[in-house]
Amino acid sequence: MGKIIALANQKGGVGKTTTTINLAASLATLEKKVLVVDADPQANASSGLGIDIQSLNCTVYECLVNGVNPKDAIRKACIDGLDVMPSHIDLVGAELELMNTQGRETVMKKMLDSIRKDYDYILIDCSPSLGLITVNSLTAADSIIIPVQCEYFALEGISKLLNTIRIIKTKLNPALDIEGFLLTMYDSRLRLSNQIYDEIKKHFQELVFDTIISRNVKLSEAPSYGLPAILYDADSKGAKNYLALAQEILKKNEQK
């Protein structure tokens, strides 16, 4: 039975999609069967894993809105053992189309429950908002990874997200856990990066991952080639950071 992890933070530019792509690729490299569900209309996780989004006739949108079998939307990615359920700009309209659907918050949960036995891990890349699709993602998930960039406004919005998680736990998904806070875009030379790290660690203690994702140019370059960092440059700091994160998550979950 696969574990479903949502990657969410309504603040944009914190490294959600970069984390989804590279964590998924690292887990697949460590011989886990992984599915990335791209729940962001920008579809960056799909293109970043080598999916040609222009040529698709079936995406996560058709599965959520029209009840299409999710297996019809799944595509193989650029690493063995890694699949993608791609997104499409149409997903922008899905919130309105699902508005009058009964059980509208649990559509994604029902969809993923039918395929979770086929995977060790399912990672959902959420859009930078707290709309209905993100609520669906958090309702479907067993846990959530919250990427936090080491920059001035990092803590802004976290309280809003934690409040949303609280509401979802109360009303829709009592089993939802926080997998961890992940510090991204860390630059050890900057005093600010170290201050943000100390602040997050003080607030959330053991919920903060030991692995920190350093600022790394290869992480930024790799998606334009439709590759995760581990295929683009396995020796880069970014690729090594995400491999360490995958190992930390596996260790934590195997202990449980």
Side-chain angles (χ1 to χ4, degrees):
M1 194 70 145
K3 180 166 192 177
I4 302 176
I5 303 177
L7 289 97
N9 187 334
Q10 79 276 18
K11 193 173 181 319
V14 298
K16 274 191 305 293
T17 302
T18 300
T19 297
T20 306
I21 290 170
N22 290 292
L23 175 57
S26 297
L27 287 167
T29 303
L30 295 168
E31 299 184 343
K32 297 296 174 189
K33 188 92 175 78
V34 186
L35 172 67
V36 167
V37 177
D38 192 348
D40 184 346
Q42 295 174 85
N44 291 339
S46 308
S47 59
L49 285 167
I51 306 295
D52 176 10
I53 48 181
Q54 304 307 323
S55 65
L56 300 170
N57 53 13
C58 186
T59 65
V60 70
Y61 169 83
E62 282 76 18
C63 300
L64 292 174
V65 174
N66 303 328
V68 170
N69 186 331
K71 289 183 179 176
D72 294 340
I74 291 170
R75 299 285 176 272
K76 294 230 163 295
C78 46
I79 288 184
D80 279 351
L82 177 56
D83 291 344
V84 183
M85 187 185 288
S87 184
H88 192 272
I89 192 66
D90 287 352
L91 196 60
V92 168
E95 308 220 339
L96 285 173
E97 292 177 69
L98 289 172
M99 203 51 80
N100 298 319
T101 305
Q102 198 167 5
R104 63 190 180 192
E105 296 92 353
T106 58
V107 176
M108 190 179 291
K109 178 176 169 55
K110 286 173 188 153
M111 175 187 85
L112 293 181
D113 278 350
S114 69
I115 54 169
R116 70 187 290 170
K117 65 184 182 306
D118 301 333
Y119 295 95
D120 297 309
Y121 287 90
I122 296 176
L123 305 183
I124 308 173
D125 185 32
C126 299
S127 64
S129 75
L130 293 176
L132 183 57
I133 300 298
T134 300
V135 168
N136 258 273
S137 302
L138 296 179
T139 303
D142 299 308
S143 66
I144 173 173
I145 290 175
I146 303 170
V148 182
Q149 89 281 39
C150 293
E151 288 175 7
Y152 184 67
F153 293 113
L155 295 167
E156 199 179 79
I158 285 185
S159 59
K160 200 172 177 184
L161 177 61
L162 292 176
N163 197 41
T164 302
I165 293 169
R166 244 190 314 274
I167 292 165
I168 285 168
K169 272 177 80 89
T170 307
K171 300 192 170 173
L172 295 163
N173 183 5
L176 182 64
D177 277 332
I178 292 177
E179 189 78 24
F181 289 84
L182 176 68
L183 286 149
T184 62
M185 305 177 204
Y186 177 79
D187 187 339
S188 58
R189 297 167 303 178
L190 299 179
R191 186 192 298 165
L192 181 62
S193 279
N194 294 302
Q195 284 173 340
I196 299 292
Y197 174 80
D198 292 342
E199 194 76 13
I200 296 281
K201 198 76 180 153
K202 188 174 86 185
H203 278 289
F204 302 111
Q205 295 162 3
E206 74 283 352
L207 284 176
V208 182
F209 285 112
D210 293 334
T211 306
I212 296 172
I213 309 302
S214 298
R215 200 176 272 287
N216 179 243
V217 71
K218 300 291 184 188
L219 285 176
S220 311
E221 288 172 2
S224 62
Y225 295 89
L227 294 171
I230 206 160
L231 287 188
Y232 179 66
D233 183 351
D235 288 328
S236 65
K237 192 182 257 187
K240 287 175 177 172
N241 287 166
Y242 278 111
L243 197 56
L245 176 66
Q247 286 164 332
E248 186 177 345
I249 287 170
L250 291 179
K251 189 177 173 192
K252 183 175 162 186
N253 283 287
E254 278 157 17
Q255 281 170 350
K256 280 184 183 174

